[in-house]
Amino acid sequence: MDFSKALILHQKTRNHMSQHLLKSLFIVIISAISSVSIHGSDRIIYGHVSTKSNEPIDAAAIKLFLPDSIFVAGALTDSIGNFKIETSQHAGYLLIECLGYSSEQINLKNSDSDVNLGNIYLSETMNRLDEVTVMADRVVKSKYGLMIYPSKDDLKFATSGQDELYNIMIPGINVNRQSKNITHMGEEVPIYINGRQASYAEVQNIPAKSIERVEYIDVPYGVYVTDNIALNIITKKESGSLYLAIDGMQNMTYQEGAYNAMAQHTRNNLTLQFFGGYEQYNYNNNLGTTTDTYTIGNQSIEQKKVIEKQNKIKDIQYFQTQLISTSDNKSLSANLTFVREHEPNNITVENINDFHDNRTIFRSENIKPSLKLNGDFKLSKNRRISISWTNTYGKNRYSRQYEYSDYRTQLM
């Protein structure tokens, strides 16, 4: 009897300990989940942007970057200069930019708590007064950046889309017409035409008079969501048009030339484009002398190399045709490109220490056709889907022949 009571008491004690253990384990799990939830929650970064005279600056672009300069999120200041960004990132920096004001960069500490940056002051640039008086009638602030309408003088002195971007002088955008690139803070800026990403050839050959406005987008959204800064060229709607363009460049001191032609026909929502070009480089007798010194132990050996003959010839041909269909809710395009690079007979003859000649003969031919299909569909106001398919084929021929004194080696 006493043994049975002891057994029952032991059983109750064990059950009580099991319940206590389960309750403790449950509390630990809930605490862990709460800890993970709190750690993964978004923190808020907020502040106020104004001039040094405490005048609020509206529509200033606030951009959040990771420490390695990867864009995370963006916002605009409201009418009284306030802004707020919600993010799960706990380190990085903010970049504040606004037309007519100097930029400001603020480094953020690695913290889980909300950040109140307080007042952020931007200095007015020297040309802000001119920008207000001259550009106020053609620069419109939007939710995502600026809309810039070209003036008559901008169009008068421009023959291409690149010239137009150069003439309107968007602050922070560098248009280099010699190197043929458009950059912002050293990074290349993607260019769009009517919301469709365009190649440099399209921008270069677009008629300046067909440009209605240029959108400067510094708060990424939609098709620009992966871009830090983007430019979108909006063209005038025409029921039908035909445009032809030819440009060329020829260097007079040595044989180097580039010649391009473009044709574009637009009818309602369809646009057909043809591009073609030819480039040639011919450098003869690019002679020179180099001296190298090699030290082995206490002994120095000097090698004098003289280029006695050098012929470099290269020609490039390309052709591209593109069919584009656009409407309010979708954009479709098909692009066929063919590129050929040819180096027929490049010869270099070098003399080593006035003793023997080295001869190198190089030949190559690269053929690269490609087909690209793009589709962008607007599903709703805040939803869209983009589809892209690319197929590329390459055929390369390569030959290099070395002749060293009485020895010869050839690579195919």
Side-chain angles (χ1 to χ4, degrees):
M1 187 67 179
D2 293 336
F3 176 76
S4 300
K5 288 182 179 180
L7 182 61
I8 294 172
L9 180 61
H10 176 72
Q11 184 70 27
K12 289 183 178 179
T13 303
R14 188 173 63 179
N15 292 338
H16 178 73
M17 292 179 61
S18 300
Q19 291 177 1
H20 179 72
L21 181 61
L22 289 174
K23 185 182 293 185
S24 301
L25 182 60
F26 179 75
I27 292 174
V28 170
I29 293 174
I30 292 298
S31 301
I33 293 175
S34 301
S35 175
V36 172
S37 176
I38 292 173
H39 185 269
S41 62
D42 288 349
R43 68 168 177 168
I44 299 176
I45 303 171
Y46 59 98
H48 179 265
V49 181
S50 64
T51 64
K52 292 186 177 181
S53 57
N54 290 322
E55 296 180 2
I57 300 176
D58 65 322
I62 314 297
K63 304 174 188 176
L64 174 62
F65 295 88
L66 293 178
D68 54 0
S69 298
I70 296 177
F71 176 79
V72 177
L76 289 176
T77 56
D78 57 21
S79 59
I80 58 175
N82 294 327
F83 70 90
K84 180 177 71 173
I85 294 179
E86 296 184 6
T87 177
S88 59
Q89 302 298 330
H90 304 280
Y93 64 91
L94 279 182
L95 183 63
I96 298 96
E97 295 178 313
C98 188
L99 179 66
Y101 298 90
S102 59
S103 301
E104 185 75 17
Q105 180 175 318
I106 300 176
N107 294 322
L108 302 175
K109 295 182 179 179
N110 192 350
S111 172
D112 296 338
S113 58
D114 294 345
V115 179
N116 182 6
L117 297 175
N119 291 324
I120 302 171
Y121 299 103
L122 300 184
S123 302
E124 297 185 27
T125 55
M126 295 289 291
N127 58 350
R128 175 165 169 76
L129 182 60
D130 293 336
E131 289 171 354
V132 170
T133 56
V134 176
M135 300 174 62
D137 59 338
R138 62 187 186 92
V139 176
V140 178
K141 291 182 179 179
S142 67
K143 183 179 180 181
Y144 304 104
L146 299 172
M147 293 187 294
I148 305 170
Y149 292 83
S151 66
K152 292 182 179 179
D153 288 338
D154 292 336
L155 297 174
K156 180 179 179 181
F157 297 102
T159 59
S160 66
Q162 185 196 36
D163 291 340
E164 185 58 40
L165 294 177
Y166 178 84
N167 290 343
I168 61 179
M169 294 187 296
I170 303 174
I173 299 296
N174 179 35
V175 181
N176 192 323
R177 291 185 287 186
Q178 292 185 345
S179 60
K180 300 181 179 181
N181 59 10
I182 301 171
T183 58
H184 174 265
M185 299 180 65
E187 296 184 1
E188 189 171 351
V189 177
I191 308 296
Y192 295 78
I193 298 178
N194 298 324
R196 176 186 55 83
Q197 190 161 6
S199 64
Y200 173 81
E202 293 180 76
V203 177
Q204 171 65 20
N205 291 290
I206 188 174
K209 293 183 178 180
S210 67
I211 298 176
E212 178 181 318
R213 69 178 185 272
V214 176
E215 296 178 347
Y216 171 81
I217 301 164
D218 57 5
V219 179
Y221 75 100
V223 295
Y224 321 105
V225 71
T226 59
D227 303 322
N228 180 18
I229 295 289
L231 296 177
N232 183 29
I233 300 175
I234 303 298
T235 59
K236 299 175 182 177
K237 293 184 178 180
E238 299 175 335
S239 58
S241 65
L242 178 63
Y243 176 72
L244 302 173
I246 299 175
D247 69 89
M249 182 275 296
Q250 180 63 51
N251 196 309
M252 303 303 294
T253 56
Y254 51 88
Q255 190 173 346
E256 177 183 352
Y259 317 96
N260 303 283
M262 178 262 192
Q264 175 177 298
H265 176 60
T266 301
R267 186 174 182 84
N268 297 324
N269 294 331
L270 286 176
T271 299
L272 181 61
Q273 297 175 334
F274 294 97
F275 298 92
Y278 175 79
E279 299 180 18
Q280 184 183 36
Y281 306 88
N282 191 341
Y283 308 133
N284 290 325
N285 297 324
N286 187 16
L287 310 181
T289 301
T290 59
T291 302
D292 299 321
T293 301
Y294 303 93
T295 302
I296 303 176
N298 297 325
Q299 184 178 3
S300 296
I301 301 176
E302 187 176 273
Q303 176 179 279
K304 182 180 179 182
K305 182 187 297 184
V306 179
I307 301 178
E308 297 180 338
K309 180 181 179 181
Q310 190 174 55
N311 294 336
K312 289 189 175 181
I313 302 173
K314 182 178 181 179
D315 58 88
I316 304 172
Q317 304 92 37
Y318 78 91
F319 173 79
Q320 175 180 303
T321 180
Q322 186 166 230
L323 180 64
I324 306 166
S325 174
T326 58
S327 64
D328 294 336
N329 297 322
K330 68 177 183 298
S331 174
L332 305 174
S333 65
N335 183 300
L336 178 63
T337 304
F338 178 86
V339 179
R340 176 180 180 265
E341 296 184 7
H342 183 220
E343 296 185 56
N345 200 21
N346 294 340
I347 301 175
T348 301
V349 179
E350 298 173 333
N351 181 276
I352 308 297
N353 291 340
D354 300 322
F355 180 66
H356 54 77
D357 291 339
N358 295 340
R359 178 187 294 266
T360 304
I361 302 175
F362 174 77
R363 303 180 183 90
S364 71
E365 182 181 32
N366 304 319
I367 299 176
K368 184 179 179 181
S370 64
L371 175 63
K372 185 175 183 179
L373 305 177
N374 287 310
D376 184 76
F377 305 90
K378 185 177 181 181
L379 305 179
S380 62
K381 183 178 180 180
N382 298 319
R383 298 174 60 194
R384 66 192 312 130
I385 183 172
S386 297
I387 301 174
S388 179
W389 179 82
T390 303
N391 190 14
T392 302
Y393 171 79
K395 183 178 181 181
N396 303 317
R397 295 179 179 178
Y398 178 91
S399 172
R400 183 183 292 271
Q401 178 177 313
Y402 300 94
E403 296 180 4
Y404 180 79
S405 188
D406 296 331
Y407 301 94
R408 175 180 297 181
T409 303
Q410 186 168 358
L411 300 176
M412 300 293 290

